[in-house]
Amino acid sequence: RDALAVDTPIWMLGDSAYDILDWHDHLLAAGVVPIAPYNPRNTDDPLDIEYRVENRIAEHSEDVQLNQSILDETYNHRTGVERTNDAVKGCGLGHVRARGRVHARTEVYVALCLRVVVAITNYERGNDPGCEKL
């Protein structure tokens, strides 16, 4: 529900822990494309797909085609989020565990502020500003 609270969501990104059929179906019904790597756990006959949404679209729609390169490119945007989470942990602030849209937005804001501080400090010290640690 929180994922659908933004004005016009297009994508919902998650790791393989978000490879959940009900979750995918709920998002697709709302017009949001879930991109989570397929996790072949609990099956003796794994599907030949990279993302679960490929299978859900094939099963439920004859006229929708997914572009694999767009799925890959969009999923790769997750790395920015993961780097921010790592920077937060690297500065001793612990794991990111916000629940709910308001808390998550606040935590993201604080994490981004922290990244700016780390970049400025590294620059001032003559280090690479892109480095995630001081």
Side-chain angles (χ1 to χ4, degrees), residues 21-83:
L21 294 175
D22 290 343
W23 181 75
H24 278 67
D25 292 342
H26 177 71
L27 290 172
L28 288 168
V32 177
V33 178
I35 304 178
Y38 173 64
N39 189 340
R41 65 186 178 277
N42 301 327
T43 183
D44 293 331
D45 189 20
L47 301 171
D48 185 25
I49 57 175
E50 191 167 343
Y51 302 100
R52 170 70 68 182
V53 70
E54 297 173 73
N55 176 257
R56 302 314 284 165
I57 294 292
E59 283 184 5
H60 299 288
S61 178
E62 296 175 10
D63 57 345
V64 174
Q65 300 240 341
L66 294 172
N67 184 323
Q68 188 70 37
S69 65
I70 291 176
L71 291 175
D72 292 338
E73 181 181 320
T74 303
Y75 184 74
N76 286 337
H77 288 297
R78 264 188 86 250
T79 58
V81 174
E82 295 300 332
R83 282 198 322 267

Side-chain angles (χ1 to χ4, degrees), residues 82-134:
E82 295 300 332
R83 282 198 322 267
T84 299
N85 289 342
D86 288 342
V88 169
K89 287 185 261 182
C91 289
L93 297 178
H95 294 282
V96 178
R97 293 197 173 133
R99 293 277 183 192
R101 186 169 50 93
V102 173
H103 293 156
R105 286 181 65 177
T106 301
E107 196 155 324
V108 166
Y109 176 75
V110 170
L112 292 175
C113 290
L114 173 65
R115 291 201 65 185
V116 169
V117 168
V118 168
I120 291 170
T121 303
N122 280 327
Y123 176 78
E124 296 271 327
R125 291 179 177 176
N127 298 329
D128 175 15
C131 184
E132 297 169 6
K133 295 183 180 182
L134 297 174

Side-chain angles (χ1 to χ4, degrees), residues 9-30:
I10 298 171
W11 311 100
M12 181 63 184
L13 307 177
D15 60 20
S16 61
Y18 288 92
D19 180 20
I20 304 165
L21 294 175
D22 290 343
W23 181 75
H24 278 67
D25 292 342
H26 177 71
L27 290 172
L28 288 168

